[in-house]
Amino acid sequence: MARPALRAVPESEVPKPKAKMNVEQAASAGDRRALLKAMQSRIAKTVDDPKTPPRDLAALSRRLQEIGRELEGMTDEPDSDDDQAEDEAFDPAAV
């Protein structure tokens, strides 16, 4: 049985990654998923910063976990970061 030949994807077909928005840009855009991701990134940077006061770490860590759960629960909406390819027609002769 002949297998379909693999091919290198030309540069023109490679999806370009979307620029990440900061919290203000995401809030202005009205995209809830983008807002949550921007907040997640911002809070993670603050938690990692050694200058963050220890009294703030518990609240920031808790909020970071909450945002992660909210993002996991958004499975019914398409991920704005993923450009999904369309399905091709099935060819039984290719199998």
Side-chain angles (χ1 to χ4, degrees):
M1 289 186 198
R3 294 180 128 186
L6 296 178
R7 66 178 179 88
V9 178
E11 192 68 33
S12 62
E13 292 182 30
V14 175
K16 305 290 184 231
K18 294 182 181 181
K20 290 186 178 182
M21 291 190 251
N22 64 29
V23 176
E24 182 181 2
Q25 292 168 334
S28 297
D31 182 354
R32 180 150 172 77
R33 179 181 294 272
L35 177 59
L36 287 170
K37 287 186 175 189
M39 288 172 49
Q40 183 182 42
S41 176
R42 176 68 175 95
I43 293 171
K45 287 177 189 172
T46 304
V47 167
D48 280 342
D49 186 354
K51 295 179 184 175
T52 300
R55 69 177 182 274
D56 297 341
L57 288 176
L60 288 169
S61 298
R62 187 171 28 260
R63 185 61 185 134
L64 190 58
Q65 290 176 335
E66 291 170 358
I67 290 171
R69 282 192 292 272
E70 286 182 59
L71 285 168
E72 286 176 6
M74 296 181 112
T75 56
D76 56 329
E77 297 177 15
D79 192 344
S80 60
D81 288 345
D82 290 342
D83 291 325
Q84 297 180 354
E86 293 183 23
D87 287 340
E88 295 178 8
F90 176 70
D91 181 11
V95 178

